[in-house]
Amino acid sequence: MRSVYKWLIGLVTVVMLILLSAAMYFFHVAEVRNPAANKPDALRPKSSPVYDYEHTFLARHKATWTQKTLDGLTLDAWYVTASRPTNKTAILAHGWHNNKTTMAIYGELFHDLGYNVLIPDNRAHGDSQGKLIGYGWTDRRDYMGWINQVLKKNGQQSDIVMYGMSMGAATVVNVSGEHDLPKQVKAFIEDSSYTSVLAEVKHEAGDMYGLPWFPIVNIVSGISKVRAGYSYGEASPLKQVAKNKRPMLFIHGDKDTFVPTRMVYQLYAATKGPKKLWVTSGSKHVQSFPDHPVAYRQKVTNFLNQYDK
């Protein structure tokens, strides 16, 4: 009998070591800085419907803003002044493993609409410091810092809108639920946010790796809590948007399998503020603007004309 116990203990130990090793691997893939995120994105070809947006914005003069985070990181951002003096500023948030250059097409869109444009590199991306990715959760407080910097530099009369795509969309949605959000933030536009990091990672465990999410995701979440300061369950745009009372435009592609389309309906239902929903036909993850550039611009314009006059 004693030998059976020893065998069982040995088996459990081996299984636990395998699970821990697998969890450490997935944590590294998901949350540790990827060197590819430090480099500018590959630019779109001339055949792209948003080629002019990208190249025009990248050619504009860009001032550099920096921010020191509460945990001692130095973050980097581009600031582009509007063509005509204005108190309106759009703050844009990029996605996972992206950086400022990813947002050039959206930067030009908002610049065309008459806004000053601020595009930060999230922690652990681009020219910003940091080794661990915030998934929009630690980033939400970083973006509160950017908001306050706009108010300090551009004045308390500033009028601010926030836009984000993918992880950046989750960042923007998370910001919408902060209790100390300045009144100068008038509206939000999110394109392809997940409902929570837990829901997204559970989905990817099956969709990308063909694995059952339990118990690997739980272990990875525990590692994240220890190393990055947040668990996957608490990093929840869905819970944050339920506190929001300001206008929000929700955009999502109906062919999105990376962040499943069903998530946008949950987010839309949860917000307490004025809201608009546009699910784009045939679009995969964050492809709504390239797929429908004219309609996208019009939807954004109409929303801002209504809620950020």
Side-chain angles (χ1 to χ4, degrees):
M1 184 62 71
R2 184 175 298 175
S3 62
V4 172
Y5 285 140
K6 287 183 177 180
W7 182 84
L8 287 173
I9 292 170
L11 178 62
V12 169
T13 301
V14 170
V15 170
M16 291 300 295
L17 287 173
I18 292 173
L19 287 173
L20 183 59
S21 297
M24 290 297 295
Y25 167 78
F26 286 118
F27 173 82
H28 189 275
V29 169
E31 282 185 62
V32 174
R33 184 180 193 125
N34 185 327
N38 304 342
K39 303 174 183 177
D41 284 356
L43 300 186
R44 293 169 172 83
K46 287 187 177 181
S47 58
S48 170
V50 292
Y51 171 88
D52 287 341
Y53 281 95
E54 182 174 67
H55 285 257
T56 300
F57 188 80
L58 290 176
R60 293 192 182 280
H61 173 73
K62 295 176 281 294
T64 298
W65 286 18
T66 60
Q67 178 197 165
K68 200 76 169 181
T69 68
L70 296 175
D71 53 345
L73 301 177
T74 299
L75 306 183
D76 186 276
W78 282 341
Y79 181 78
V80 176
T81 305
S83 297
R84 296 181 179 179
T86 181
N87 67 334
K88 292 187 174 185
T89 300
I91 302 177
L92 280 51
H94 66 72
W96 182 68
H97 285 184
N98 297 144
N99 54 56
K100 296 187 293 282
T101 59
T102 313
M103 304 306 290
I105 58 173
Y106 307 102
E108 186 61 20
L109 171 60
F110 281 93
H111 189 271
D112 273 358
L113 296 177
Y115 286 80
N116 304 309
V117 177
L118 179 67
I119 309 179
D121 277 333
N122 284 23
R123 55 174 59 214
H125 292 81
D127 295 316
S128 290
Q129 293 180 344
K131 295 181 179 179
L132 299 176
I133 297 169
Y135 272 95
W137 190 245
T138 48
D139 304 297
R140 81 193 194 285
R141 297 310 302 179
D142 298 340
Y143 275 78
M144 290 291 289
W146 291 120
I147 291 167
N148 288 321
Q149 190 168 160
V150 169
L151 297 178
K152 181 178 179 180
K153 290 185 175 181
N154 292 0
Q156 292 297 312
Q157 79 287 357
S158 291
D159 176 302
I160 299 170
V161 298
M162 297 191 70
Y163 171 93
M165 64 92 160
S166 195
M167 187 185 79
T171 303
V172 165
V173 176
N174 284 332
V175 170
S176 78
E178 291 300 276
H179 72 279
D180 54 348
L181 183 65
K183 63 182 180 181
Q184 291 90 343
V185 179
K186 304 299 184 181
F188 302 91
I189 302 173
E190 74 85 16
D191 185 336
S192 308
S193 173
Y194 39 80
T195 50
S196 71
V197 177
L198 179 61
E200 177 62 15
V201 175
K202 285 168 66 174
H203 167 73
E204 292 305 330
D207 189 61
M208 290 185 68
Y209 296 98
L211 296 173
W213 66 267
F214 181 84
I216 290 289
V217 172
N218 304 76
I219 301 171
V220 178
S221 177
I223 295 170
S224 177
K225 183 66 175 178
V226 172
R227 292 194 56 188
Y230 64 93
S231 69
Y232 289 173
E234 70 182 295
S236 173
L238 185 61
K239 293 177 183 177
Q240 288 291 99
V241 80
K243 306 172 193 174
N244 173 57
K245 295 182 180 179
R246 304 185 203 194
M248 187 172 294
L249 171 59
F250 299 83
I251 302 171
H252 216 106
D254 70 356
K255 300 300 182 184
D256 193 342
T257 57
F258 188 73
V259 176
T261 309
R262 66 176 182 273
M263 292 187 177
V264 74
Y265 296 107
Q266 296 172 266
L267 294 166
Y268 179 78
T271 188
K272 304 299 189 299
K275 54 189 174 182
K276 302 286 185 180
L277 172 63
W278 183 36
V279 177
T280 58
S281 176
S283 294
K284 296 182 179 180
H285 189 58
V286 298
Q287 293 305 301
S288 295
F289 189 21
D291 289 349
H292 310 276
V294 175
Y296 199 101
R297 182 188 180 106
Q298 195 60 56
K299 290 286 185 181
V300 169
T301 300
N302 291 346
F303 177 76
L304 295 174
N305 284 343
Q306 183 173 358
Y307 295 112
D308 190 40
K309 297 178 182 178

